[in-house]
């Protein structure tokens, strides 16, 4: 299985991830990558890979300039290179001020900008999803709806190039699965547009809520909201590096100097087909809850962090009808989930099984059909692809057009496969 492993010992930022992935491309792909990135139509944006070393380790720094100037943070003793993706609540000040560096935009404006990029629909969809994650995290941090978030640096042209570049590089590499180490977020504080914020910044903390992360002796913000959003969107499992062979290494180097190598490393190689980690099954028997209260408990358990919750009918002691409740969660949330089950249901005990898990990598795309735009859910692994229309979109389109739901689904799948054939032809 073609596996990409991201080492986040010094956190993650958009420009460093893009540079590391760029190093994994073939010489011809590198030429195509730079040519495409410089032809995105983003006003004044230029992308140039530069050789750079950090603590004696050679790698690539991806220099993204807007009208000839590269965005930087203030020259702080413990700063870190940023891709400058924060909203008005915690936007980083630039190391220099120029009229092209301050862009204000809503999530809708950013999505429209991405929609206009000359990239495949798959790449644009990934980029939109990354920005959606950032908007949701910033909105939660500042107590406002996601649509009301006004981006400063997130809307900057160089930042759009960073996100698009990572999504485009991954499209070229096409790994079967993406894994990553636990994320080093740094420590201390970071200076922002409206003051000094703790590390990790609130938006980053929200994004990494379900991701293994840690601080340390390095002072400064090592993982930016952009880096966090890219990891959360693409990475399927966070943990130790698996056994790999035929491995290529890419190194993305930052601009700041630390007492250790300031880089993100990515490893691309073959791993044996096997489980994608472990998952916990928590099971209990219930015979004294009404269907309505049990359904509410299932919803609460998912809201509290469970991956899934479902019931099977059964016969309990003394012939009483009842339910077997099964709740799935990550292995590191067993204790918390068991307590949630005991709190939200009437059971007095919970059984736990630790299982190996295999899964397809989930994704989503939007296709234009005769009945309007319909989202499509995808799942992939080792050449296996599952595709189906998003129910809510297909049902709404069917109701609006006055046609059967089945017709919208059939048209959506036809449009999806037609788009795939066109994309393959464009890339040849």
């Amino acid at each position: 299985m073609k596996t990409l492993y991201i080492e986040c010992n010094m956190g993650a930022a958009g420009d460093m991830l893009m540079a590391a992935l760029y190093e994994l491309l073939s010489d011809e792909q590198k030429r195509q990558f730079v040519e495409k990135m410089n032809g995105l139509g983003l006003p004044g944006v230029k992308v140039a890979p530069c050789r750079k070393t950090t603590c004696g380790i050679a790698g690539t720094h991806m220099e993204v300039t807007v009208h000839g100037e590269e965005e930087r943070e203030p020259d702080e003793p413990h700063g870190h290179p940023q891709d400058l993706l924060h909203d008005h609540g915690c936007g980083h000040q630039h190391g220099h001020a120029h009229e092209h560096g301050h862009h204000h935009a809503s999530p809708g404006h950013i999505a429209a900008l991405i929609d206009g990029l000359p990239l495949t629909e798959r790449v644009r969809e990934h980029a939109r999803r990354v920005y959606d994650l950032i908007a949701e995290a910033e909105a939660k941090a500042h107590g406002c709806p996601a649509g009301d978030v006004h981006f400063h640096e997130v809307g900057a042209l160089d930042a759009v190039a960073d996100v698009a570049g990572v999504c485009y590089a991954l499209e070229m590499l096409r790994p079967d699965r993406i894994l990553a180490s636990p994320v080093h977020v740094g420590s201390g504080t970071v200076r922002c547009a409206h003051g000094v914020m703790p590390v990790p910044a609130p938006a980053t903390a929200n994004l990494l809520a379900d991701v293994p992360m840690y601080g340390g002796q390095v002072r400064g913000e090592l993982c930016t909201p952009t880096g966090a959003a890219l990891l959360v969107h693409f990475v399927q499992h966070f943990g130790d590096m698996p056994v790999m062979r035929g491995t290529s290494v890419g190194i993305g180097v930052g601009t700041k100097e630390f007492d250790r190598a300031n880089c993100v490393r990515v490893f691309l190689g073959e791993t044996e087909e096997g489980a994608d980690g472990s998952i916990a099954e928590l099971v209990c028997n219930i015979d004294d809850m009404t269907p309505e209260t049990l359904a509410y408990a299932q919803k609460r358990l998912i809201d509290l962090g469970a991956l899934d919750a479902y019931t099977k009918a059964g016969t309990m002691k003394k012939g009483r009808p009842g339910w077997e409740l099964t709740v799935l969660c990550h292995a590191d949330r067993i204790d918390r989930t068991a307590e949630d089950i005991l709190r939200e249901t009437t059971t007095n005990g919970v059984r736990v099984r630790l299982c190996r898990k295999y899964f397809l990598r989930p994704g989503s795309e939007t296709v234009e059909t005769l009945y309007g735009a319909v989202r499509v859910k995808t799942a992939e692994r080792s050449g296996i692809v599952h595709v189906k229309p998003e129910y809510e979109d297909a049902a709404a389109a069917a109701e609006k057009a006055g046609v059967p739901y089945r017709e919208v689904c059939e048209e959506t799948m036809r449009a999806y496969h037609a788009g795939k054939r066109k994309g393959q032809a464009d890339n040849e």
Side-chain angles (χ1 to χ4, degrees), residues 15-16 19 22-23 48-63 70 72 81 250-258 260-264:
D15 58 343
M16 295 170 73
Y22 168 84
E23 286 212 333
C50 308
R51 296 300 294 168
K52 187 177 177 65
T53 61
T54 175
C55 291
I57 299 175
T60 295
H61 168 63
M62 193 62 70
E63 183 179 81
E70 185 176 14
R72 295 179 184 274
I251 300 174
V253 181
T255 56
K256 292 290 184 178
E257 297 294 332
F258 292 93
R260 62 200 70 187
N262 180 23
C263 63
V264 169

Side-chain angles (χ1 to χ4, degrees), residues 264-320:
V264 169
R265 295 197 300 174
V266 293
F267 302 83
L268 185 65
E270 291 293 328
T271 56
E272 296 297 327
E273 288 284 355
D276 296 303
S278 58
I279 194 170
E281 285 186 349
L282 290 80
V283 184
C284 62
N285 296 338
I286 296 172
D287 62 7
D288 55 353
M289 292 180 71
T290 66
E292 294 86 355
T293 54
L294 184 54
Y296 176 79
Q298 287 178 251
K299 179 181 182 302
R300 279 286 297 155
L301 291 168
I302 292 174
D303 291 341
L304 291 169
L307 299 174
D308 198 3
Y310 58 91
T311 58
K312 292 187 293 185
T315 302
M316 308 299 160
K317 292 183 296 184
K318 301 178 181 179
R320 291 194 296 263

Side-chain angles (χ1 to χ4, degrees), residues 83-95:
D83 37 0
L84 304 176
L85 291 181
H86 292 264
D87 75 342
H88 63 287
C90 55
H92 288 296
Q93 299 285 359
H94 296 151

Side-chain angles (χ1 to χ4, degrees), residues 20-340:
L21 294 170
Y22 168 84
E23 286 212 333
L24 295 178
L25 301 175
S26 67
D27 289 343
E28 177 58 23
Q29 286 179 319
K30 287 178 180 177
R31 184 193 64 78
Q32 293 176 1
F33 180 87
V34 175
E35 183 178 290
K36 176 68 76 173
M37 292 301 297
N38 285 323
L40 291 180
L42 298 174
V45 172
K46 294 295 180 184
V47 174
C50 308
R51 296 300 294 168
K52 187 177 177 65
T53 61
T54 175
C55 291
I57 299 175
T60 295
H61 168 63
M62 193 62 70
E63 183 179 81
V64 180
T65 58
V66 181
H67 298 286
E69 297 187 72
E70 185 176 14
E71 300 289 1
R72 295 179 184 274
E73 282 190 282
D75 188 17
E76 298 176 2
H78 302 290
H80 186 274
Q82 303 295 310
D83 37 0
L84 304 176
L85 291 181
H86 292 264
D87 75 342
H88 63 287
C90 55
H92 288 296
Q93 299 285 359
H94 296 151
H96 54 269
H98 58 83
E99 60 181 328
H100 307 292
H102 302 278
H103 295 264
H104 299 223
S106 69
H109 294 143
I110 297 297
L113 183 60
I114 292 172
D115 286 342
L117 299 178
L119 299 167
T120 65
E121 173 57 27
R122 180 186 177 94
V123 174
R124 293 196 299 267
E125 180 68 18
H126 282 306
R128 285 192 295 266
R129 293 286 178 175
V130 171
Y131 273 97
D132 286 346
L133 287 172
I134 297 170
E136 291 166 4
E138 294 286 9
K140 182 178 180 180
H142 304 295
C144 66
D148 291 346
V149 171
H150 291 283
F151 295 115
H152 285 200
E153 288 84 352
V154 174
L157 298 175
D158 65 320
V160 174
D162 280 348
V163 172
V166 170
C167 296
Y168 179 45
L170 286 172
E171 175 77 1
M172 298 179 81
L173 292 167
R174 289 284 185 142
D176 295 316
R177 65 173 179 169
I178 302 176
L179 312 175
S181 69
V183 182
H184 188 180
V185 296
S187 63
T189 59
V190 61
R191 184 175 301 280
C192 300
H194 290 247
V196 176
M197 304 291 288
V199 171
T204 303
N206 289 335
L207 285 160
L208 299 179
D210 294 320
V211 172
M213 60 175 168
Y214 62 98
Q217 297 179 347
V218 177
R219 305 286 290 180
E221 183 184 36
L222 300 185
C223 186
T224 69
T226 316
L230 287 164
L231 292 174
V232 169
H233 177 69
F234 283 110
V235 174
Q236 296 155 268
H237 177 71
F238 292 84
D240 294 335
M241 182 177 179
V243 176
M244 303 174 71
R245 55 183 171 80
T247 306
S248 300
V249 183
I251 300 174
V253 181
T255 56
K256 292 290 184 178
E257 297 294 332
F258 292 93
D259 62 354
R260 62 200 70 187
N262 180 23
C263 63
V264 169
R265 295 197 300 174
V266 293
F267 302 83
L268 185 65
E270 291 293 328
T271 56
E272 296 297 327
E273 288 284 355
D276 296 303
S278 58
I279 194 170
E281 285 186 349
L282 290 80
V283 184
C284 62
N285 296 338
I286 296 172
D287 62 7
D288 55 353
M289 292 180 71
T290 66
E292 294 86 355
T293 54
L294 184 54
Y296 176 79
Q298 287 178 251
K299 179 181 182 302
R300 279 286 297 155
L301 291 168
I302 292 174
D303 291 341
L304 291 169
L307 299 174
D308 198 3
Y310 58 91
T311 58
K312 292 187 293 185
T315 302
M316 308 299 160
K317 292 183 296 184
K318 301 178 181 179
R320 291 194 296 263
W323 307 92
E324 180 182 273
L325 171 65
T326 300
V327 182
L328 305 180
C329 72
H330 291 298
D332 58 358
R333 289 184 59 88
I334 291 175
D335 292 343
R336 172 70 180 274
T337 304
E339 291 180 359
D340 291 338

